[in-house]
Amino acid sequence: MRVHFLLFGSYLINEKKDRPIRLGLTFNDGELNLYACAIRILEGDINNLYDWTADVMNPTWDERTAIKKLKQGKDKFICDALLNQEIFAGVGNIIKNEVLYRIKIHPESAVNKLQPAKIRQIVKEVRIYSFEFLEWKKNFVLKKHWLAHAKKMCTRCKLPLVKKYTGTGLRRSFFCTNCQKLYY
């Protein structure tokens, strides 16, 4: 079974929310309840169905494969490529916004216009930020570390950040038009 928490998915252990449970699992010593998520039943050997090297937090993460897949999406915006789970499994909108802000790339930049050094930088930073994200989330301090996501001002330029629905998925992007370069 594969669970994707989408935008608002969550889970509770030994607790319930006052909303419909998408999947509830009951055990002798407790329960696991999943909410607002996509669930897919996978049949067969999971290792033949899932590319573990695309999971940015998996020990088998393969930067070279991610770079190769990223370069194949020549007509895509980088904001779409970062949310492509076939390339960056586990990356969501917050990570997309924060990584692009950190490395000063506009979300509507064309992947095929990015230099190889920038592509390598994106791939490295996605993995770094994903582990930081998890640590901050565990310590209940994630929002304190946001530099761009849901923010109003650029911490570097002291100018207003733009909030715009970008890419084919029209996901919220927060970016600075002054310091985040648009490659087109």
Side-chain angles (χ1 to χ4, degrees), residues 1-105:
M1 177 172 47
R2 184 181 75 186
V3 176
H4 188 273
F5 286 106
L6 306 167
L7 221 57
F8 302 107
S10 63
Y11 68 91
L12 289 175
I13 299 171
N14 297 327
E15 294 180 50
K16 289 184 179 168
K17 288 184 179 184
D18 186 24
R19 59 176 72 142
I21 296 172
R22 179 79 169 105
L23 176 67
L25 301 172
T26 305
F27 306 96
N28 290 336
D29 58 350
E31 64 182 318
L32 172 65
N33 296 303
L34 307 176
Y35 301 88
C37 56
I39 299 170
R40 187 183 207 184
I41 303 298
L42 304 175
E43 294 188 27
D45 183 350
I46 188 69
N47 294 309
N48 294 332
L49 300 172
Y50 190 79
D51 179 7
W52 298 104
T53 65
D55 186 330
V56 297
M57 296 185 75
N58 193 290
T60 63
W61 161 253
D62 187 349
E63 280 187 25
R64 285 178 291 183
T65 301
I67 289 168
K68 183 179 174 184
K69 288 178 183 178
L70 195 53
K71 287 179 179 178
Q72 289 171 353
K74 294 184 185 302
D75 60 337
K76 293 183 180 177
F77 290 136
I78 191 61
C79 61
D80 290 328
L82 284 170
L83 296 174
N84 183 337
Q85 299 300 296
E86 298 295 319
I87 303 172
F88 298 107
V91 171
N93 208 45
I94 295 170
I95 294 172
K96 172 206 75 174
N97 284 321
E98 293 297 312
V99 165
L100 291 175
Y101 184 79
R102 279 183 172 191
I103 60 177
K104 301 179 181 178
I105 296 177

Side-chain angles (χ1 to χ4, degrees), residues 79 93-102 105-108 146-154 156 160-166 171-177 179-180:
C79 61
N93 208 45
I94 295 170
I95 294 172
K96 172 206 75 174
N97 284 321
E98 293 297 312
V99 165
L100 291 175
Y101 184 79
R102 279 183 172 191
I105 296 177
H106 190 290
E108 294 176 313
W146 289 352
L147 298 174
H149 186 78
K151 296 293 183 180
K152 300 214 181 288
M153 295 295 285
C154 175
R156 293 185 287 250
L161 290 175
V162 172
K163 174 186 169 185
K164 182 178 178 183
Y165 293 87
T166 60
R171 299 292 300 275
R172 279 189 325 165
S173 289
F174 298 88
F175 57 94
C176 178
T177 56
C179 65
Q180 286 179 256

Side-chain angles (χ1 to χ4, degrees), residues 108-121:
E108 294 176 313
S109 292
V111 174
N112 67 334
K113 298 298 182 184
L114 297 169
Q115 298 108 356
K118 279 291 181 192
I119 289 177
R120 286 191 303 275
Q121 186 181 18

Side-chain angles (χ1 to χ4, degrees), residues 57 102 125-139 141-142 145:
M57 296 185 75
R102 279 183 172 191
E125 194 61 40
V126 162
R127 184 163 165 90
I128 290 166
Y129 192 87
S130 295
F131 280 98
E132 290 174 349
F133 181 103
L134 178 61
E135 194 59 36
W136 295 329
K137 183 89 169 153
K138 282 193 225 175
N139 292 314
V141 295
L142 177 61
H145 292 277

